[in-house]
Amino acid sequence: MQVFEYRPPALPWLDIRYLDRDIIIINKPSGLLSNPGRAAVTHDCALTRLQRLYPETILVHRLDCATSGIMVFARNKAAESSLKTQFQERQSDKLYVAEVAGHLEQPAGVIDLPLAADKANPPLQQVSEQGKRAVTHYKVLEQREDSSLVALQPETGRTHQLRVHMLALGHPILGDDFYGGCEIENARPRLCLHAASLAFCHPYSGAEMHFVSLSPF
């Protein structure tokens, strides 16, 4: 794993896909933090970029810095509460696309492995019987020469869940500089994990909302 150097992409500065009085939907690029970290250099992130235009913007959920794709932000406390409740009670529907090493034996399946923090190597996570329950549904979309494109649907929302689950299955996500080792890390210029679809109910109207971002790999 390389030492983290934060160099957020400047183009596009913001890719806003939808905006109303309650919510903002963006397509976050790989390499941009969802929210600020402790270091001053991490102040530039999706949240602070939005707050320059809409100061009331509130973070609802996160994507890993290296993960790209659809994110929703709230513009008031009522919307924040509604969206967070939907995420916590699994009333929202998230779908990711990943390119992983090798060919999976089964075209579809469920990974049910508990996860816990790797205290010796923060912020890494690991499969642990003492961890919290973590469930991921997967489906092979395409087999390539030495990799596979898979759809990943997390039933739970543990830190690095998709990355650790695919590693445990023996098919790490290509470009993963946390869990993949040198060969996997150097296989692609970025982590091949993308939040391709997000569905939830609008916090004010209750209407079903569905946003999609095409996979970049």
Side-chain angles (χ1 to χ4, degrees), residues 72-186:
V72 58
F73 293 81
R75 298 189 69 187
N76 54 66
K77 288 292 185 180
E80 176 197 17
S81 177
S82 173
L83 290 168
K84 285 185 173 179
T85 297
Q86 290 184 59
F87 286 157
Q88 292 167 1
E89 297 183 358
R90 302 174 189 173
Q91 296 170 348
S92 60
D93 188 9
K94 302 176 184 178
L95 183 68
Y96 295 77
V97 173
E99 185 181 8
V100 304
H103 295 160
L104 285 71
E105 292 184 7
Q106 302 296 328
V110 180
I111 307 168
D112 189 347
L113 294 171
L115 300 178
D118 183 349
K119 295 181 180 180
N121 298 289
L124 301 188
Q125 307 293 306
Q126 62 185 350
V127 174
S128 170
E129 293 182 359
Q130 286 72 48
K132 295 181 179 180
R133 185 168 183 257
V135 179
T136 301
H137 300 258
Y138 72 87
K139 180 180 180 181
V140 176
L141 300 175
E142 178 187 340
Q143 282 193 348
R144 298 174 177 176
E145 183 176 353
D146 57 0
S147 66
S148 300
L149 197 67
V150 296
L152 301 173
Q153 190 167 23
E155 191 175 308
T156 51
R158 308 302 176 202
T159 301
H160 296 172
Q161 176 175 318
L162 303 181
R163 299 163 80 162
V164 179
H165 270 178
M166 293 313 299
L167 175 68
L169 200 64
H171 300 278
I173 299 176
L174 297 181
D176 192 342
D177 60 348
F178 273 21
Y179 300 97
C182 290
E183 184 177 351
I184 294 299
E185 178 183 347
N186 295 326

Side-chain angles (χ1 to χ4, degrees), residues 15-114:
D15 183 0
I16 297 176
R17 297 297 181 90
Y18 177 83
L19 173 73
D20 65 23
R21 70 177 192 179
D22 297 295
I23 64 173
I24 305 172
I25 302 293
I26 71 165
N27 185 40
K28 187 187 83 68
S30 175
L32 181 68
L33 287 167
S34 297
N35 61 304
R38 294 182 179 179
V41 70
T42 66
H43 179 75
D44 181 16
C45 63
L47 178 62
T48 55
R49 287 184 183 187
L50 280 171
Q51 287 175 336
R52 291 187 185 186
L53 298 176
Y54 311 102
E56 71 281 2
T57 303
I58 303 170
L59 183 77
V60 172
H61 67 124
R62 297 173 178 83
L63 292 178
D64 288 346
C65 182
T67 303
S68 56
I70 296 293
M71 288 187 70
V72 58
F73 293 81
R75 298 189 69 187
N76 54 66
K77 288 292 185 180
E80 176 197 17
S81 177
S82 173
L83 290 168
K84 285 185 173 179
T85 297
Q86 290 184 59
F87 286 157
Q88 292 167 1
E89 297 183 358
R90 302 174 189 173
Q91 296 170 348
S92 60
D93 188 9
K94 302 176 184 178
L95 183 68
Y96 295 77
V97 173
E99 185 181 8
V100 304
H103 295 160
L104 285 71
E105 292 184 7
Q106 302 296 328
V110 180
I111 307 168
D112 189 347
L113 294 171

Side-chain angles (χ1 to χ4, degrees), residues 179-200:
Y179 300 97
C182 290
E183 184 177 351
I184 294 299
E185 178 183 347
N186 295 326
R188 297 292 184 272
R190 56 155 290 189
L191 176 71
C192 291
L193 181 61
H194 181 70
S197 174
L198 177 62
F200 56 89

